[in-house]
Amino acid sequence: MAEKKCNYSCNTASETLEWIHAIIKFIAPYRYFLNAHVVNFFKDRLWEAVDKEWMDCLRKEPVENLLRIPSGVVQDHWPSSLKDFILTLRSLSLSREQADFQEFSGMHIASLSNVLAQGMNHKKKHEVEAFSSLVSLVAKQVGARTVVDVGAGQGYLAQVLAFDYQLSVIAIDACSHHGKITDARAERIRKHYAAKMRKNCSELREFSVPKTVTCRVLSSDTLKALSNCPVENDHAGNRHFSQKCSGSQPSQLTENVLPSLSYSDSTLVIAGLHACGDLSVTMLRTFLECDKAKAVISVGCCYNLLSEEAIDIVDSCCGFPVSQGVKSAGVALDKNARDLACQSADRWRGLGEHAGLHNFELHAFRASFQMVLLRHYPNILLESPTIGRQGKALRRQQNQRILESNLHHGGASESGEPRKSVAFPHEYSFIQSSKSSKSRALDRYSLFVKFCESGLGRLHLPRLEDTDYSAVWRESESFAELIGPYWSLRAALASVLETLILLDRLLLLQEYGNDLEASLLPIFNPVLSPRNMAIIATKCRN
């Protein structure tokens, strides 16, 4: 086996742009992977676009070796062109190994108290502990006492910043229900600490409680519409923006509105923990345009929700690309490619044979079911484009249990979640090595029928006769073993696509000039939290 580390850097705009151009050049011949949708594996005969020598080699490989491909691990006996493809992808990708925070002066990650951690799963607790410590350190460095938590959700981060780090926090979220939960939770925490101080006969002190604002901050246009709006209180005490708004510049959200909420503080830090889609990009633009914003710390997610529609417009504010350098290169990623960028090599790498094979075979079920729909219900593919997401919550819960168990016992990772799969319960697994090949084949077919009937039931479609399933399964089964190799090769492009998206955002900041410092830092364990790269930028003091 061999691995290859990244050999590029992004300390300056020119270095970042060189790295970006290398990625663009390398992935250009593999657009057939980027644009593909694995549910169409049989319909479009996707394996035929791949080097035949690669597929002939990988179809014989153990599942464990296939699952290591996205992490850049190759085998000595593989064709040299295949090894070069995989290793070069790794050399073009950002390293995801969690940073050693001991290298950061003044940063200490403290464990959350039980009252603050209440309601958080293991992943969220891990993220909030590291991210809140980083935000506190950056706020101290730039002399800011106010943090604007963008996309605050239920306020977990905001409350830790307020109660543990005594920062003034403005928690912005599009959902008013989240604001109500944040307020209620903050009040419970405040009462807990107050009661604890009374019990210990300590001097009572005022707690910094997050201020919640209900506001959709999803694009520059939205920011323009909100900039001149007065802030009002609703019946529950949440602050929100009046909808009677006129257009203006995006920066006015922070120039005109946020200072009125920020305890008269002259500086602020913009922070977002997994701010979704374009929201992460909007944070960066607002930081650049707002004099009061002295720092931004952003960990993005949901690249599939980034907008690209305005790519041909030089001054557009789409979600990708955002830097002038990448816009000039004329690069575009469609939704399938951006969705692929969300895959996690770290989560797949340590997956065992049975769980990995189970995921590949479910891809085969889903791709075969696509043939059933195409043949008998072609209109449903246009009318119900989200049918493939059914069962995702079940898989996520199951994978999270595997992950936490592996971490507890020192294992490497959990299962990643295959996208675009119709619902399947646990009993859809047909991995029974003790049975004969003929018996397993019968099991596979019976489970495929069960899979299809479940999918048709969810779509409220009539059940088909058994012979209809049989014809599709016979047509697909002989190529089903190619799904694992194909999926693994395609997934190997995930890390380099995410690297391209992140470098584009970093370059946007670096193009601003010498008045700020910007960097990328992996702040979470990538197995627990695949989107672990933080963009950190601070404006130089005058």
Side-chain angles (χ1 to χ4, degrees), residues 322-337:
V322 295
S323 68
Q324 291 302 316
V326 180
K327 287 180 180 179
S328 299
V331 132
L333 300 175
D334 67 12
K335 185 179 181 301
N336 285 343

Side-chain angles (χ1 to χ4, degrees), residues 519-541:
S519 61
L520 282 164
L521 184 71
I523 64 172
F524 306 137
N525 181 326
V527 178
L528 265 179
S529 184
R531 307 282 77 76
N532 75 331
M533 298 296 299
I535 295 181
I536 307 166
T538 58
K539 291 175 182 173
C540 301
R541 297 188 180 187

Side-chain angles (χ1 to χ4, degrees), residues 84-100:
D84 184 63
F85 168 76
I86 296 169
L87 295 176
T88 302
L89 283 174
R90 292 309 300 165
S91 74
L92 290 169
S93 299
L94 285 159
S95 171
R96 292 318 183 90
E97 184 178 354
Q98 186 178 12
D100 182 1

Side-chain angles (χ1 to χ4, degrees), residues 19-294:
W19 191 345
I20 288 169
H21 283 160
I23 291 174
I24 294 171
K25 181 180 179 181
F26 184 80
I27 65 175
Y30 303 104
R31 296 296 303 192
Y32 59 85
F33 273 135
L34 306 188
N35 299 331
H37 201 329
V38 180
V39 301
N40 295 322
F41 185 78
F42 299 120
K43 179 177 80 71
D44 296 337
R45 300 180 68 86
L46 295 179
W47 64 89
E48 293 182 348
V50 187
D51 188 311
K52 187 176 184 301
E53 186 182 20
W54 295 6
M55 297 300 283
D56 288 342
C57 170
L58 295 179
R59 71 193 302 171
K60 304 171 186 175
E61 283 296 306
V63 173
E64 297 96 320
N65 289 351
L66 297 180
L67 294 174
R68 294 188 184 105
I69 288 176
S71 296
V73 181
V74 301
Q75 307 301 317
D76 292 337
H77 63 275
W78 290 358
S80 58
S81 59
L82 174 58
K83 290 190 288 187
D84 184 63
F85 168 76
I86 296 169
L87 295 176
T88 302
L89 283 174
R90 292 309 300 165
S91 74
L92 290 169
S93 299
L94 285 159
S95 171
R96 292 318 183 90
E97 184 178 354
Q98 186 178 12
D100 182 1
F101 291 113
Q102 293 181 352
E103 299 176 0
F104 295 84
S105 176
M107 182 168 174
H108 172 67
I109 300 178
S111 296
L112 299 182
S113 65
N114 289 337
V115 65
L116 280 172
Q118 187 176 8
M120 299 186 195
N121 60 24
H122 185 51
K123 174 179 180 289
K124 178 62 69 175
K125 183 174 181 289
H126 169 74
E127 293 168 347
V128 171
E129 286 177 344
F131 195 74
S132 60
S133 179
L134 178 61
V135 171
S136 174
L137 176 64
V138 172
K140 183 178 181 180
Q141 290 174 342
V142 300
R145 293 295 307 161
T146 298
V147 175
V148 181
D149 181 6
V150 181
Q154 298 186 17
Y156 293 131
L157 172 65
Q159 288 149 6
V160 172
L161 291 172
F163 287 101
D164 264 6
Y165 293 97
Q166 290 79 54
L167 290 165
S168 301
V169 183
I170 303 160
I172 299 179
D173 196 84
C175 176
S176 61
H177 178 64
H178 284 167
K180 294 173 183 177
I181 292 175
T182 299
D183 288 337
R185 192 171 185 273
E187 180 60 16
R188 289 197 301 271
I189 295 170
R190 186 193 67 77
K191 288 180 178 179
H192 170 84
Y193 282 126
K196 188 175 181 180
M197 284 189 294
R198 285 193 295 269
K199 182 178 180 180
N200 296 332
C201 300
S202 303
E203 182 180 352
L204 293 177
R205 63 179 177 85
E206 287 294 322
F207 290 98
S208 176
V209 178
K211 293 184 177 180
T212 57
V213 176
T214 298
C215 168
R216 294 186 66 82
V217 188
L218 298 176
S219 68
S220 294
D221 288 340
T222 306
L223 291 177
K224 292 175 184 178
L226 292 169
S227 59
N228 291 324
C229 300
V231 179
E232 303 171 346
N233 288 330
D234 61 19
H235 296 299
N238 291 324
R239 294 190 171 201
H240 62 90
F241 290 102
S242 167
Q243 296 303 308
K244 299 177 181 178
C245 306
S246 59
S248 57
Q249 295 302 313
S251 60
Q252 289 182 322
L253 173 74
T254 38
E255 295 285 2
N256 296 342
V257 178
L258 295 181
S260 69
L261 300 172
S262 63
Y263 310 86
S264 301
D265 193 355
S266 60
T267 61
L268 54 86
V269 172
I270 301 174
L273 175 53
H274 292 152
C276 191
D278 284 357
L279 185 54
S280 292
V281 174
T282 302
M283 290 169 54
L284 302 182
R285 292 194 176 107
T286 304
F287 162 72
L288 292 176
E289 297 172 5
C290 176
D291 290 337
K292 294 184 182 297
K294 299 302 181 184

